[in-house]
Amino acid sequence: MANIGGTTQRDTEVRLPRATRVRNKQPADQQITAEQILRESKELQEVDFKAPKQKISSPAELAEYRLRKRKEFEDLVRRVRWNQGVWVKYAQWEESQKDYRRARSVWERALDVSYASVTLWLKYAEMEMRARFVNHARNVWDRAVTLLPRIDQLWYKYIHMEEMLNNVPGARQIFERWMQWEPDHHGWAAYIKMELRYNEIDRARNIYERYVQCIPSVKAWVRYAKFEMKNGQVGLARRCYERAVGEMGEDAQTEELFIKFAEFEEKCKEPERARAIYKYALDHIPKAQAQDVYKKFVAFEKQHGDREGIEDVIVGERRFQYEAEVSKNPLNYDSWFDYIRLEEAAGDHDKVREVYERAIANIPPAPEKRYWQRYIYLWINYALFEELGAQDMDRTREVYRACLKLIPHKAFTFAKIWILAAQFEVRQLRMVEARKILGMSLGMCPKDRTYKAYIEIERQLGNIERVRTLYEKYLEWSPANCTAWCKFAEFEQQYLGEIDRARAIYELAIAQPILDMPEVLWKSYIDFEISEGNRENTRKLYERLLQRTRHVKVWLSYASFEATPASMLGEEQDGETSEAERRQAAAEQEGPAAAADREAHARSVYERAFRSLRDNQPDAKEEAVMLLEAWRTFEADTFATEQRQAAVEAVERKMPKRLKRKRKVQTDDGLDAGMEEYYDYVFPEEAGAAPNLKLLEAAQAWKRRKQMEATEDGIS
């Protein structure tokens, strides 16, 4: 299809040359080096055209040449008057013609165009200096520094010219003019060096005084001190460093100044002064800016210090690390703990208190106990430090009060703080204050630990009525707490010998509608009756417990109680003799009639237990097996040897058979997950269903065999 102008798409395509394919990759017979290629290209280059040299032989030709060149330059500066290179070439050409008047005229015209050009001023003055027109050069330099006083190069050149002419007063006068403009460090240093070249020490010292007043910086003061040190004035050099620290104020709190000061003292063989300077610097410079000071201090102590000094430096370095950590994350209480331990090891109580105060100021961000669990130990350690380390009891009391005031008790509390504060007051023999603290705790935010601690304090003091009152308040607050009921009853029994009161407490406890751990309470009540040797009451308790629960462990405990001789109830087991030997000795001691009666009661409990499990809990087969095994063990250890074998066989006839079976396993979604094996127990009374079970298993096996035969026929 034709496009505009009669061209086709083929005509407008950009055709790239086809890449040449090298077929023969073998090396050529004649090799050409890169050097040969470059030499050949150089020979083929044409020679540059050079204009012929013109020789002037008459004044007329010279005048004509000058006129033509001036006309060319004038045309150039008229066209590109902003181009400084044209002006410079014009003036230098006039200078080469020895026509200095015209050259000055060209320079002046150039400066009218661009007076701020440093290059024009420099070349103008250099022309006058080459021609030895000193006054003209002075005039040019003077105009240059007047118009451009912030260009240091002009001042340097001007002063250098005067110094080359041995005009030292003139150079000093130029420096004074320059100093009025307050130049940088290089200008002052150049002025001082000039005076030192002519051994004007007092003048140089006066210049240094003006220098440090004009530029009050560390660099200026260090240079001043080095100047005095170089001239042997050690006292004046030290005075310079001291003035720098005093006059500069906060600007002097830099590691550069203190390092230089310490190195100066070290050179003067004053290690104690140097050490004091390093310590002062570490105390006043921010930790993040004192890394070099630490390094220098460590090297200094290794060279001049003793063991204690080196340890102090190491402590300081670790202190710097901890400061960086707590500055990065103030809520990282582990870093605060490490920092505090470091300061406590150093032994400076004021610094320890400072770190503690800084640490406890970082209150957790939210009133949730999980954020406060680490924070609260800062207060605890603070109080313990004040009491044990600093032995300041008033500050310890204030720490506890501030901590208790800070905790949001309506949201949560810490019983350990209340308890520690109360125990501290007890150690100070201030019982009224201790009771106030614990009473306030129970009124604002009662907790189990607070009740237990308060009760223990009063019990140790022998205040029986207070202990009873506290237990009553405790149980009114938490009536379902079985541990509290047990402790109250144990207190009445063991410490006071009030058996009736303890029994009444147990009766009140088991009468409660809700209990958190009833098994603990019943066990404690039964152990109490056993310890009192009251077998009938213990038996009644077991019967009352069996009315509430028929757990196999209750039956086993009841049977074990009935089978145990009275002399063995409540006593601790001795490791030297076995339990069987102790039972045999106790049975011989109580006589055959009592032993037979005791075994009859135990056997009756086992029979009731087995009957209850099989009738009321037929699926609890493992519990029944456990009971039968315990029953068999009991019968094997009975006192009546002539009936022992028959009793054991009777129990074994009740033992079930253990069978391995399979059952389906289903996932939580109700899908089949295969089969699993398990062990089942078949008791003798269930043996009647066994034949039918065997018949069913035989039928299933026949069905599977038929299915396998049908599958094999289909394949063949």
Side-chain angles (χ1 to χ4, degrees):
M1 178 174 127
N3 292 331
I4 299 175
T7 61
T8 62
Q9 186 176 1
R10 183 183 181 90
D11 297 333
T12 58
E13 286 181 354
V14 178
R15 299 179 183 178
L16 298 176
R18 183 180 298 177
T20 304
R21 182 178 179 184
V22 180
R23 297 182 179 179
N24 186 7
K25 297 183 180 180
Q26 296 296 326
D29 297 335
Q30 183 178 1
Q31 298 293 322
I32 301 176
T33 63
E35 182 182 359
Q36 293 174 344
I37 296 174
L38 292 175
R39 188 184 297 111
E40 183 178 356
S41 62
K42 184 67 175 176
E43 292 175 354
L44 294 177
Q45 288 181 358
E46 296 181 358
V47 180
D48 296 336
F49 173 77
K50 294 182 180 180
K53 292 183 179 181
Q54 183 179 4
K55 293 183 179 181
I56 299 174
S57 57
S58 64
E61 290 181 0
L62 178 60
E64 183 181 357
Y65 166 72
R66 289 176 176 175
L67 179 62
R68 186 174 70 254
K69 291 293 290 184
R70 288 191 182 104
K71 186 175 183 303
E72 292 177 358
F73 279 120
E74 290 293 337
D75 291 340
L76 282 174
V77 298
R78 190 165 47 250
R79 289 199 305 268
V80 287
R81 61 193 304 268
W82 60 86
N83 192 341
Q84 298 179 11
V86 175
W87 291 104
V88 170
K89 290 180 179 179
Y90 191 5
Q92 289 177 348
W93 181 83
E94 292 290 356
E95 180 186 1
S96 65
Q97 300 300 315
K98 306 298 181 181
D99 195 344
Y100 296 105
R101 183 182 59 81
R102 287 182 177 273
R104 291 191 189 98
S105 176
V106 174
W107 286 118
E108 294 294 337
R109 290 168 61 192
L111 291 175
D112 289 340
V113 175
S114 178
Y115 77 94
S117 175
V118 179
T119 304
L120 293 178
W121 288 107
L122 291 175
K123 292 185 178 298
Y124 188 7
E126 288 173 358
M127 182 202 74
E128 299 289 2
M129 292 167 62
R130 284 194 298 270
R132 301 182 182 276
F133 297 125
V134 177
N135 291 330
H136 282 282
R138 285 196 181 106
N139 184 27
V140 173
W141 289 123
D142 189 71
R143 290 166 57 198
V145 297
T146 302
L147 293 174
L148 303 174
R150 293 298 180 186
I151 306 301
D152 295 344
Q153 188 178 9
L154 298 176
W155 292 101
Y156 286 131
K157 293 285 187 179
Y158 192 5
I159 294 167
H160 179 67
M161 184 193 75
E162 295 294 348
E163 197 171 358
M164 293 294 291
L165 296 172
N166 292 324
N167 186 11
V168 178
R172 187 175 293 119
Q173 184 179 4
I174 297 169
F175 265 120
E176 290 295 333
R177 287 178 59 190
W178 189 13
M179 295 304 110
Q180 293 178 0
W181 290 95
E182 297 182 356
D184 58 2
H185 297 279
H186 300 289
W188 290 98
Y191 192 6
I192 293 168
K193 287 180 180 179
M194 188 200 75
E195 297 293 353
L196 292 177
R197 282 197 295 270
Y198 299 101
N199 295 323
E200 297 287 345
I201 305 299
D202 294 334
R203 286 181 178 272
R205 184 175 289 111
N206 293 332
I207 296 170
Y208 266 118
E209 288 291 338
R210 295 164 57 193
Y211 176 25
V212 296
Q213 296 299 325
C214 178
I215 307 177
S217 63
V218 175
K219 186 176 182 179
W221 283 105
V222 170
R223 285 183 174 182
Y224 192 5
K226 287 183 178 180
F227 161 75
E228 297 291 359
M229 185 67 182
K230 188 175 181 180
N231 290 297
Q233 301 293 332
V234 178
L236 294 178
R238 183 177 292 113
R239 180 60 182 163
C240 289
Y241 283 113
E242 293 173 353
R243 287 176 58 193
V245 176
E247 295 181 10
M248 292 178 61
E250 295 183 357
D251 295 337
Q253 306 298 327
T254 60
E255 58 181 1
E256 181 184 0
L257 176 61
F258 290 109
I259 289 174
K260 295 293 185 182
F261 195 0
E263 290 177 349
F264 161 75
E265 295 292 353
E266 189 175 356
K267 290 179 181 178
C268 296
K269 308 299 181 182
E270 294 287 347
E272 294 300 327
R273 287 178 176 270
R275 184 177 292 107
I277 293 168
Y278 278 124
K279 291 183 178 180
Y280 180 85
L282 294 177
D283 292 338
H284 291 78
I285 298 178
K287 305 302 180 184
Q289 303 175 7
Q291 296 181 0
D292 292 339
V293 177
Y294 276 115
K295 294 179 181 178
K296 294 288 185 180
F297 193 20
V298 171
F300 170 79
E301 288 294 345
K302 288 181 179 179
Q303 184 177 1
H304 301 282
D306 53 1
R307 179 183 179 88
E308 184 178 356
I310 295 174
E311 290 179 354
D312 291 341
V313 174
I314 294 174
V315 169
E317 186 175 2
R318 291 176 60 190
R319 185 182 291 118
F320 168 75
Q321 295 175 357
Y322 290 137
E323 283 289 345
E325 291 180 7
V326 298
S327 300
K328 183 178 180 181
N329 185 8
L331 297 179
N332 185 3
Y333 300 119
D334 292 332
S335 298
W336 284 111
F337 284 126
D338 296 337
Y339 195 2
I340 290 168
R341 281 195 291 269
L342 174 67
E343 295 296 348
E344 289 179 349
D348 191 345
H349 291 175
D350 294 333
K351 284 190 176 181
V352 174
R353 288 193 181 101
E354 180 187 355
V355 178
Y356 267 121
E357 292 294 336
R358 291 172 55 196
I360 62 179
N362 298 292
I363 302 174
E368 297 183 15
K369 192 169 185 177
R370 59 193 179 97
Y371 294 118
W372 288 65
Q373 286 176 343
R374 293 291 290 167
Y375 171 73
I376 205 66
Y377 280 99
L378 290 172
W379 287 96
I380 295 174
N381 293 346
Y382 191 8
L384 293 177
F385 163 75
E386 293 292 351
E387 181 183 0
L388 303 178
Q391 296 183 355
D392 191 340
M393 304 308 162
D394 294 333
R395 288 185 65 90
T396 305
R397 189 172 292 111
E398 292 298 327
V399 170
Y400 279 122
R401 288 177 181 174
C403 180
L404 292 174
K405 186 177 179 180
L406 180 65
I407 298 174
H409 298 290
K410 293 184 179 180
F412 58 87
T413 189
F414 291 94
K416 60 174 73 69
I417 293 295
W418 296 100
I419 295 170
L420 289 173
Q423 290 175 348
F424 166 73
E425 297 295 350
V426 171
R427 289 192 292 272
Q428 304 305 312
L429 304 180
R430 294 162 55 95
M431 295 306 305
V432 177
E433 297 296 330
R435 291 191 179 103
K436 284 182 180 180
I437 292 172
L438 292 174
M440 187 184 301
S441 172
L442 296 179
M444 294 175 58
C445 44
K447 295 190 73 173
D448 290 335
R449 289 186 59 187
T450 313
Y451 273 109
K452 292 176 182 178
Y454 198 178
I455 290 169
E456 183 63 22
I457 291 174
E458 296 294 351
R459 186 192 65 78
Q460 291 178 357
L461 294 174
N463 297 324
I464 305 304
E465 293 301 325
R466 286 183 179 272
V467 174
R468 286 175 175 167
T469 303
L470 286 172
Y471 268 122
E472 291 173 2
K473 297 293 184 182
Y474 187 9
L475 294 173
E476 287 178 4
W477 174 69
S478 178
N481 192 338
C482 293
T483 305
W485 287 104
C486 295
K487 292 294 183 182
F488 192 9
E490 289 176 4
F491 169 74
E492 294 289 350
Q493 177 198 8
Q494 297 177 3
Y495 294 99
L496 304 178
E498 295 286 349
I499 305 302
D500 294 335
R501 291 179 65 93
R503 187 175 288 113
I505 291 170
Y506 277 122
E507 289 294 335
L508 285 174
I510 62 177
Q512 296 299 318
I514 300 175
L515 294 171
D516 55 357
M517 292 185 295
E519 66 279 2
V520 174
L521 180 62
W522 280 96
K523 185 179 184 304
S524 179
Y525 194 4
I526 291 171
D527 292 341
F528 162 74
E529 294 293 352
I530 291 175
S531 64
E532 294 300 323
N534 197 333
R535 202 175 189 99
E536 285 300 324
N537 285 349
T538 306
R539 188 176 291 117
K540 290 178 181 179
L541 279 178
Y542 271 117
E543 293 295 338
R544 291 168 62 184
L545 180 57
L546 287 173
Q547 292 177 3
R548 299 194 179 191
T549 177
R550 293 184 175 273
H551 198 274
V552 65
K553 290 186 178 181
V554 178
W555 287 108
L556 291 174
S557 178
Y558 190 9
S560 177
F561 160 73
E562 293 290 357
T564 304
S567 60
M568 293 181 59
L569 292 174
E571 68 177 8
E572 296 182 357
Q573 185 177 355
D574 188 5
E576 297 179 357
T577 59
S578 63
E579 185 176 358
E581 294 176 355
R582 294 169 59 248
R583 284 179 178 273
Q584 186 69 21
E588 292 176 356
Q589 184 179 359
E590 66 181 355
D597 183 62
R598 174 173 47 79
E599 291 173 359
H601 279 92
R603 191 175 292 109
S604 174
V605 172
Y606 277 119
E607 291 175 353
R608 288 173 55 196
F610 182 70
R611 194 181 314 111
S612 173
L613 289 175
R614 296 305 301 151
D615 294 343
N616 300 326
Q617 304 178 33
D619 294 333
K621 295 183 179 182
E622 294 184 358
E623 288 79 358
V625 172
M626 186 189 307
L627 179 67
L628 289 174
E629 290 177 352
W631 190 0
R632 182 172 57 186
T633 304
F634 160 73
E635 295 292 354
D637 295 336
T638 54
F639 183 72
T641 56
E642 63 277 2
Q643 300 176 0
R644 183 181 301 169
Q645 185 64 29
V648 172
E649 292 177 355
V651 175
E652 288 181 348
R653 284 195 296 269
K654 298 178 182 294
M655 294 292 288
K657 293 182 180 180
R658 189 183 182 191
L659 302 176
K660 182 187 289 187
R661 293 181 177 176
K662 294 183 179 181
R663 60 187 173 190
K664 290 184 179 181
V665 180
Q666 291 184 345
T667 61
D668 296 336
D669 300 335
L671 302 176
D672 293 338
M675 303 291 290
E676 70 171 359
E677 293 183 350
Y678 73 100
Y679 289 98
D680 192 11
Y681 296 95
V682 179
F683 286 86
E685 63 268 17
E686 298 175 348
N692 296 331
L693 183 62
K694 291 182 179 180
L695 181 60
L696 182 60
E697 291 179 354
Q700 290 178 350
W702 177 82
K703 183 177 180 181
R704 286 196 298 270
R705 187 169 59 254
K706 288 295 184 181
Q707 289 178 352
M708 292 176 62
E709 292 176 356
T711 304
E712 292 177 357
D713 294 339
I715 294 174
S716 60

